[in-house]
């Protein structure tokens, strides 16, 4: 049996600029209540599985974009 590594499965990824727009009608809080917040984006080679790069989604990312990745 494999140990769970967190959120797995289909989903919709929303970038910070989308949530800036969802603040206008005031619905971003409702979405945030059900959203998963990844700690980092990891790019992998589709054939070898080698990690090509990663982007942390806290700290400087939040300072620059004002909204988290969801």
């Amino acid at each position: 049996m494999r140990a769970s590594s967190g959120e797995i499965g289909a989903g919709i990824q929303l970038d910070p600029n989308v949530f800036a727009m969802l603040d206008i009608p005031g619905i971003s809080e409702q979405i945030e209540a059900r959203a998963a917040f990844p700690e980092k984006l990891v790019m992998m080679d589709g054939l070898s599985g080698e990690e090509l790069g990663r982007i942390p989604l806290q700290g400087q990312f939040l300072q620059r974009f004002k909204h988290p990745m969801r």
Side-chain angles (χ1 to χ4, degrees):
M1 179 184 240
R2 254 179 67 171
S4 175
S5 62
E7 300 291 329
I8 297 176
I12 299 171
Q13 179 177 316
L14 299 174
D15 293 329
N17 57 340
V18 171
F19 276 85
M21 297 306 297
L22 293 176
D23 281 342
I24 294 170
I27 61 173
S28 62
E29 288 182 14
Q30 294 169 333
I31 295 170
E32 285 180 11
R34 305 187 103 195
F37 298 92
E39 295 177 12
K40 60 189 168 288
L41 294 178
V42 180
M43 283 66 68
M44 308 286 285
D45 183 283
L47 298 175
S48 71
E50 175 188 3
E51 182 176 317
L52 302 174
R54 62 178 54 215
I55 301 171
L57 299 176
Q58 282 82 31
Q60 291 179 340
F61 185 92
L62 283 175
Q63 289 175 349
R64 180 173 181 177
F65 297 109
K66 310 296 185 237
H67 291 275
M69 179 78 79
R70 295 163 179 91

